Amino acid sequence: MSSPDVIAAVMGFKSKSAPVALVSPRPSISPPQCGACLFKAHCLPADLEGDLLADFERSVTRQRYPLKSGHVLVRQGDSMDALYALRVGSLKVFIDEPDGTERILGFRFPGTVIGLAEPERGEWTRTFVALENTWLCRIPIHAIGDPARRQLIRLMSDQLRREYNSHLTLAFNSGAKKVVSFLIDMSSSFEARGLSANRFHLPMNYIDIANYLGMRHESVSRALSKLQELGLLNKRGRYIDIPDLQALRGFKND
Amino acid sequence: MSSPDVIAAVMGFKSKSAPVALVSPRPSISPPQCGACLFKAHCLPADLEGDLLADFERSVTRQRYPLKSGHVLVRQGDSMDALYALRVGSLKVFIDEPDGTERILGFRFPGTVIGLAEPERGEWTRTFVALENTWLCRIPIHAIGDPARRQLIRLMSDQLRREYNSHLTLAFNSGAKKVVSFLIDMSSSFEARGLSANRFHLPMNYIDIANYLGMRHESVSRALSKLQELGLLNKRGRYIDIPDLQALRGFKND
DNA sequence: CGCTCCCTTGACGACTTTCAATGATCGTGG
DNA sequence: CCACGATCATTGAAAGTCGTCAAGGGAGCG
């Protein structure tokens, strides 16, 4: 694949009429999803020729992934020479403490580039682990030419804004509201990928959610139970059904 | 000034033997500080000719700032057509809530570029206010050419890592440890600018610190008092003296 | 000198964590 | 197909932390 436009090709092409699933599938029965539709939310104004799109498809199928659920993509301390575009599945990002504890910094879903916060050459500063079987596309650093830079800057500034949002969530909410913020984020993320914003299956367990939100998993459970009592959602394990998204937003902002 | 290298010139030149202050000055008696030394921490491997450096100096003195303490640099909703390099002083970054409340997302010190998290063209998504008299350098968006992109990407990935750190601070610490993390961040920031890492004057009040950390100002005060009791620091208002930085780090990590 | 803004300290109440035990679900292997 | 074990989720009670409300003190400025 011609090098400078790899990122643009991976993250910025326009999707045509891609099939759209209404509910996110269970990990175990997850059908291979169409690459094109997964990046729909990230259709950026990169002008791509038809052959670049073809290149993209070829590049994707050429990868030797999927990465199996629970497996490590990169471990903190590994030397870094590539970015990764996430196509299907999900990852958790965390700091590995010396004592083996994880401190989860976030979750990643299709349409994301992995490694934007890493020094350009050097070591990965975080560990990325698959939450389910996950398809990725490797983008060697040397393949990032000038035409791809503009795209990269855009992705990074998006990522920065998301981080600011998570700061807001953590600093200005407590308990149930943090959980609600998290759910709304998840909902938007699913919606952006053409899935249902109201009904979805969380790929991570309550322990990871709690870790991410700076809570205990018991508190997450209690918060979700309380929200169910209030009629703001229905849950069965990791299946979440939000009858009225606007009402949920109301709860967060009140 | 020749356009494409503005950012590289502002943020990436090499400082020679710049004078270095040992303790950060009080806002009110703040002497104009040498631009060169302030960016020392950000000497990135951008190859700059002598005339670019000269351009930089000229560009800086050409600005019609300083921005007075308490004044707004940009308000959320303003249309954006430039980035700003922070030379001397400090800013707070916050979301303006409809009811007038501030939700502080961070503080900015010399050597920082303001606006990295904003969409490239569009509206500012945050408000920036000077905490003391502050000198800035305006960098029009159209002046950012390809040679400056690499530099920009580097700055953004640094900023992203800092945001991850603040996530860690918020999610995995409580009370006194959040305050300690904050002090250590401040300390590093002062040190990076050639000032003392052990003794400094905080430019923001306890209310802002508490806002940033998701606490109440009373709790910040109590935390600092407790740390003083433990002999980990001495304070007099916003003057902080940390006798043993390593001991303070120990407190955070224990 | 008195104002204002900021910081400090105390007491009480609400909310989270902690510890412990039980219940549900899923995957595996018989 | 069922039973079993492991992981995950739920719930209760006790303890600790932080927010809230209220009052007082100190520094700087006009």
Side-chain angles (χ1 to χ4, degrees):
Chain A
M1 177 163 196
S2 70
S3 52
D5 290 309
V6 176
I7 289 203
V10 170
M11 304 306 295
F13 70 92
K14 328 236 187 218
S15 75
K16 320 284 176 181
S17 55
V20 165
L22 285 180
V23 175
S24 39
R26 294 283 304 280
S28 51
I29 55 164
S30 153
Q33 291 170 41
C34 159
C37 88
L38 290 169
F39 291 107
K40 208 180 79 175
H42 290 262
C43 280
L44 303 178
D47 281 323
L48 290 192
E49 318 283 303
D51 52 318
L52 271 177
L53 190 55
D55 273 346
F56 164 73
E57 291 296 352
R58 241 178 291 133
S59 151
V60 163
T61 51
R62 221 184 281 145
Q63 299 304 312
R64 50 186 181 290
Y65 300 92
L67 181 69
K68 283 192 192 156
S69 173
H71 285 219
V72 173
L73 172 63
V74 290
R75 191 177 294 283
Q76 153 186 340
D78 286 357
S79 81
M80 166 160 177
D81 56 357
L83 302 174
Y84 295 87
L86 175 44
R87 293 186 57 227
V88 183
S90 54
L91 298 167
K92 62 175 169 179
V93 193
F94 59 89
I95 302 281
D96 248 327
E97 291 294 316
D99 62 1
T101 350
E102 300 175 359
R103 299 191 156 191
I104 298 181
L105 289 163
F107 304 98
R108 296 290 178 265
F109 295 97
T112 316
V113 170
I114 310 298
L116 295 181
E118 309 299 327
E120 207 168 330
R121 276 168 215 284
E123 297 184 346
W124 287 85
T125 58
R126 276 163 274 292
T127 303
F128 292 79
V129 166
L131 291 170
E132 52 194 312
N133 288 346
T134 294
W135 280 257
L136 296 134
C137 174
R138 185 184 155 92
I139 308 164
I141 296 257
H142 61 72
I144 303 169
D146 270 345
R149 289 253 156 74
R150 196 178 199 95
Q151 189 74 4
L152 204 50
I153 286 178
R154 187 165 209 135
L155 291 170
M156 293 178 84
S157 102
D158 289 349
Q159 186 68 28
L160 258 173
R161 277 197 299 287
R162 271 192 293 273
E163 291 307 318
Y164 280 132
N165 271 336
S166 98
H167 184 119
L168 287 177
T169 301
L170 288 176
F172 299 103
N173 296 321
S174 43
K177 291 191 180 180
K178 281 203 269 194
V179 175
V180 168
S181 288
F182 176 75
L183 288 177
I184 291 174
D185 280 354
M186 286 299 112
S187 167
S188 313
S189 164
F190 283 118
E191 189 174 30
R193 276 142 47 216
L195 303 169
S196 167
N198 297 88
R199 301 179 56 211
F200 46 85
H201 177 266
L202 297 169
M204 71 295 285
N205 64 26
Y206 286 19
I207 296 175
D208 283 349
I209 297 174
N211 189 328
Y212 174 64
L213 294 175
M215 308 167 64
R216 301 292 120 165
H217 67 101
E218 295 95 328
S219 300
V220 171
S221 173
R222 275 188 252 268
L224 286 170
S225 298
K226 184 184 161 198
L227 292 168
Q228 181 154 252
E229 275 175 32
L230 292 172
L232 290 170
L233 58 81
N234 300 304
K235 66 171 162 52
R236 251 187 41 208
R238 297 186 197 172
Y239 280 102
I240 304 290
D241 177 10
I242 304 171
D244 183 354
L245 209 44
Q246 211 47 46
L248 202 61
R249 276 184 230 277
F251 177 89
K252 188 184 76 170
N253 298 324
D254 114 273
Chain B
M1 179 161 195
S2 73
S3 54
D5 289 309
V6 177
I7 288 204
V10 170
M11 306 305 297
F13 68 93
K14 329 235 187 217
S15 75
K16 319 287 175 179
S17 54
V20 166
L22 285 179
V23 174
S24 40
R26 293 285 304 280
S28 51
I29 54 165
S30 153
Q33 290 171 40
C34 159
C37 88
L38 289 168
F39 291 108
K40 209 179 78 174
H42 290 262
C43 280
L44 304 176
D47 282 321
L48 290 192
E49 318 283 302
D51 51 318
L52 271 177
L53 191 54
D55 272 346
F56 163 72
E57 291 296 352
R58 241 177 292 133
S59 152
V60 163
T61 51
R62 220 184 283 144
Q63 298 305 312
R64 51 185 178 291
Y65 300 94
L67 181 68
K68 284 194 192 156
S69 173
H71 284 219
V72 174
L73 172 62
V74 290
R75 191 176 295 282
Q76 155 186 339
D78 286 357
S79 81
M80 167 160 175
D81 56 357
L83 302 174
Y84 296 87
L86 175 44
R87 293 185 57 226
V88 184
S90 54
L91 299 166
K92 63 175 171 180
V93 193
F94 59 89
I95 302 279
D96 249 327
E97 291 295 317
D99 61 2
T101 350
E102 301 175 359
R103 300 191 154 189
I104 298 180
L105 289 164
F107 303 99
R108 296 291 179 266
F109 296 97
T112 315
V113 170
I114 309 299
L116 295 181
E118 309 299 328
E120 208 167 330
R121 275 169 215 285
E123 297 185 346
W124 288 85
T125 59
R126 276 164 273 292
T127 303
F128 292 80
V129 166
L131 292 170
E132 51 195 311
N133 288 345
T134 294
W135 280 256
L136 296 133
C137 175
R138 187 184 154 94
I139 309 164
I141 296 257
H142 61 72
I144 303 168
D146 271 345
R149 289 255 155 73
R150 196 179 199 95
Q151 187 74 2
L152 204 51
I153 287 178
R154 185 164 212 136
L155 292 170
M156 292 178 85
S157 101
D158 289 349
Q159 186 68 27
L160 258 174
R161 277 197 298 287
R162 271 192 292 275
E163 291 307 319
Y164 280 132
N165 272 335
S166 98
H167 184 120
L168 287 177
T169 300
L170 288 176
F172 299 103
N173 297 321
S174 42
K177 291 191 180 180
K178 282 203 267 194
V179 174
V180 168
S181 288
F182 176 75
L183 287 177
I184 291 174
D185 281 354
M186 286 298 112
S187 167
S188 314
S189 163
F190 283 117
E191 190 175 27
R193 276 141 48 213
L195 303 169
S196 167
N198 297 88
R199 301 180 56 212
F200 46 85
H201 177 265
L202 297 170
M204 72 293 285
N205 64 26
Y206 286 19
I207 296 176
D208 283 349
I209 297 174
N211 189 328
Y212 173 66
L213 293 174
M215 307 168 63
R216 299 291 121 165
H217 67 101
E218 295 96 327
S219 301
V220 171
S221 174
R222 275 187 252 268
L224 286 169
S225 298
K226 183 183 162 197
L227 292 167
Q228 181 154 252
E229 274 174 32
L230 292 171
L232 290 170
L233 59 80
N234 299 305
K235 66 173 162 54
R236 251 188 38 208
R238 296 184 198 173
Y239 280 103
I240 304 288
D241 176 11
I242 303 170
D244 183 354
L245 209 44
Q246 212 47 47
L248 201 62
R249 278 184 230 276
F251 177 90
K252 188 184 75 171
N253 299 324
D254 116 272

